[in-house]
Amino acid sequence: MTTTAATISQTEQVTRIEITHPRQRQVFVPRLFATPFGEQMVQSFLDRHSNYEGGMWQFWEVPRGISGHVGPYTDIITTRPTGYMTPPEGTYQLSIPGNYFVSVAGTPPVIAFAMLP
């Protein structure tokens, strides 16, 4: 695993860790989605609803204890390690027929995750 910062002092907090080792990448997706098909589900969704054309995804782990503001008067703290995936850098147009959703973004995986059953 590598951290996102080149050097980390003792006072800085690690907010995410990139998963780069091949064996760690193999177990990351089944642990994140509770199925070995999670990566395929996200990629399939993006194939159908965006201009995504494939590529090497980055996997990021968010360590236990990271906190964040998610809404008015609401903060959360991760109680277990979690994570997310990001597609290759680029701009993607995401459109979902039937509900008139269209968005152009640099990284669509958060939206794609929200659409998974």
Side-chain angles (χ1 to χ4, degrees):
M1 287 190 252
T2 58
T3 56
T4 57
T7 58
I8 298 177
S9 72
Q10 291 180 341
T11 59
E12 293 180 39
Q13 183 180 21
V14 176
T15 57
R16 66 182 186 174
I17 301 168
E18 184 176 6
I19 308 298
T20 57
H21 191 274
R23 286 193 189 269
Q24 291 173 333
R25 289 177 62 87
Q26 285 180 336
V27 298
F28 177 77
V29 171
R31 192 176 69 220
L32 181 64
F33 288 99
T35 176
F37 304 109
E39 184 176 11
Q40 293 169 332
M41 291 185 317
V42 171
Q43 290 174 353
S44 175
F45 177 86
L46 290 176
D47 282 341
R48 287 190 315 269
H49 299 293
S50 76
N51 60 338
Y52 169 74
E53 295 178 352
M56 182 72 165
W57 287 60
Q58 291 178 293
F59 297 160
W60 301 95
E61 183 174 287
V62 178
R64 178 178 316 153
I66 299 298
S67 62
H69 185 70
V70 294
Y73 311 106
T74 306
D75 290 329
I76 62 166
I77 297 175
T78 58
T79 57
R80 63 180 182 82
T82 186
Y84 60 97
M85 306 168 12
T86 57
E89 287 190 29
T91 301
Y92 299 90
Q93 178 171 346
L94 187 65
S95 92
I96 302 173
N99 73 358
Y100 307 103
F101 177 84
V102 177
S103 175
V104 176
T107 53
V110 172
I111 296 168
F113 288 160
M115 301 302 170
L116 291 174

